[in-house]
Amino acid sequence: MASASDILTNATEEYHLSVNDVKFWTPYWINWAKPPYHLDAPLVGKGTPTELRSALLDILAQTDQPPRTEDGYRSLMKQHGLGVDCSALAYHILERLVRDLTDQDLAEHLFAPKNDIIEASQKLSWQEAGVSQPTLDALPDQITIAEVSRLFKRNPRHITNVARLTAEAATKAVSASDIQPGDMIKMTSAAGDHLGVVISVAPDKIRYADSREIKQSNGVRYQDILITNPGQNLDQQDWPDVHDFNPNAGDRVCRLKVLDGRV
């Protein structure tokens, strides 16, 4: 069986798309109601690599002059709202790891608070499922994402966010000295919650994958945390995003309970 690091790397590399012999990383996208984002974007920032590539090919079929460069393809995807946000990337690669190591479904091990689901049930798109009020009233305080998906006919990755991936119901806190592939690094950026998934761990370096839009990067990428202060927390190490990791504000490293002891 492949190692956890290999499984995670292979799943991440699926977002390294290839079209017409040009290879490019999937750009970042999140459905916010402010420019440049728009709420009717296809796949709403939650698409799988296969879905994104298929949507891009449909666009290219209607384009007289297709891009010739990596930046050209990424720009075209952004123009049409094609990309992936950090929680969708995390869901994709962790779903693969959970399935390969446990033969289980990640959505069965993630949870949403009942109040969140009751609030979402007021949306017209959710009401189409016809879930009755008695059924809503009988829901437990924490509902698995899998059950929510079944009830409301939703795609589980579309209703998963950073908070649900890192919630105490689904995860356990991990110390910096115990980090392993598959652990999640919860951060708080100027734009809100952010998440990276640890891909590999070495004595001098921790590598994680994420998707974000910042000046230095746009989309799926790998980032390295250089261990310059062994035995200390991640906020004491050398890495580009250290300013977004604030344990005093609740940022932390956490591990899915379903993966504890499996990696």
Side-chain angles (χ1 to χ4, degrees):
M1 177 184 291
S3 69
S5 182
D6 287 342
I7 294 168
L8 293 162
T9 299
N10 291 338
T12 303
E13 288 292 330
E14 290 176 7
Y15 280 101
H16 207 178
L17 304 179
S18 180
V19 176
N20 296 330
D21 295 325
V22 179
K23 198 164 186 178
F24 50 94
W25 282 108
T26 298
Y28 179 81
W29 186 269
I30 190 168
N31 261 25
W32 285 346
K34 63 181 183 181
Y37 308 107
H38 49 84
L39 294 174
D40 60 348
L43 307 176
V44 298
K46 303 293 186 181
T48 66
T50 299
E51 290 170 336
L52 288 164
R53 188 176 187 279
S54 177
L56 176 58
L57 290 176
D58 288 343
I59 293 168
L60 289 171
Q62 304 174 47
T63 302
D64 292 332
Q65 294 183 324
R68 297 178 180 275
T69 65
E70 174 183 352
D71 287 344
Y73 276 104
R74 286 159 55 83
S75 177
L76 181 63
M77 290 182 72
K78 292 281 286 186
Q79 290 173 26
H80 292 270
L82 292 176
V84 65
D85 65 26
C86 67
S87 62
L89 172 67
Y91 189 96
H92 178 77
I93 61 181
L94 289 172
E95 179 185 43
R96 184 72 53 78
L97 185 64
V98 169
R99 185 173 68 241
D100 284 8
L101 295 187
T102 74
D103 200 28
Q104 298 180 53
D105 185 351
L106 174 60
E108 298 285 358
H109 298 275
L110 300 177
F111 301 87
K114 178 178 180 177
N115 289 342
D116 285 4
I117 302 309
I118 290 176
E119 180 179 346
S121 71
Q122 303 307 307
K123 300 177 183 178
L124 289 177
S125 59
W126 286 56
Q127 290 178 2
E128 294 172 357
V131 179
S132 67
Q133 190 61 47
T135 299
L136 286 173
D137 293 340
L139 291 175
D141 290 340
Q142 296 285 335
I143 313 119
T144 67
I145 295 297
E147 180 61 18
V148 175
S149 299
R150 286 191 288 266
L151 280 173
F152 292 94
K153 299 177 174 61
R154 316 302 294 180
N155 185 322
R157 69 177 60 221
H158 287 196
I159 55 175
T160 301
N161 55 25
V162 173
R164 292 169 187 170
L165 281 163
T166 61
E168 290 185 6
T171 67
K172 58 173 284 187
V174 175
S175 67
S177 60
D178 190 37
I179 292 176
Q180 65 184 31
D183 289 346
M184 292 173 281
I185 303 173
K186 162 68 174 60
M187 294 171 259
T188 307
S189 71
D193 287 349
H194 183 61
L195 190 67
V197 177
V198 175
I199 301 297
S200 62
V201 178
D204 61 343
K205 181 174 67 177
I206 296 169
R207 170 162 287 189
Y208 66 90
D210 69 353
S211 180
R212 69 182 306 181
E213 185 172 56
I214 55 176
K215 185 177 295 185
Q216 301 91 338
S217 179
N218 182 322
V220 179
R221 61 179 189 162
Y222 295 112
Q223 282 285 82
D224 289 336
I225 301 173
L226 302 181
I227 306 303
T228 54
N229 291 295
Q232 300 297 312
N233 201 8
L234 296 188
D235 58 336
Q236 302 299 313
Q237 310 306 331
D238 181 14
W239 48 303
D241 293 339
V242 66
H243 56 279
D244 289 335
F245 185 75
N246 187 356
N248 292 330
D251 290 342
R252 63 198 182 280
V253 180
C254 55
R255 178 176 303 154
L256 289 168
K257 292 178 181 177
V258 67
L259 290 176
D260 195 30
R262 302 271 190 164
V263 175

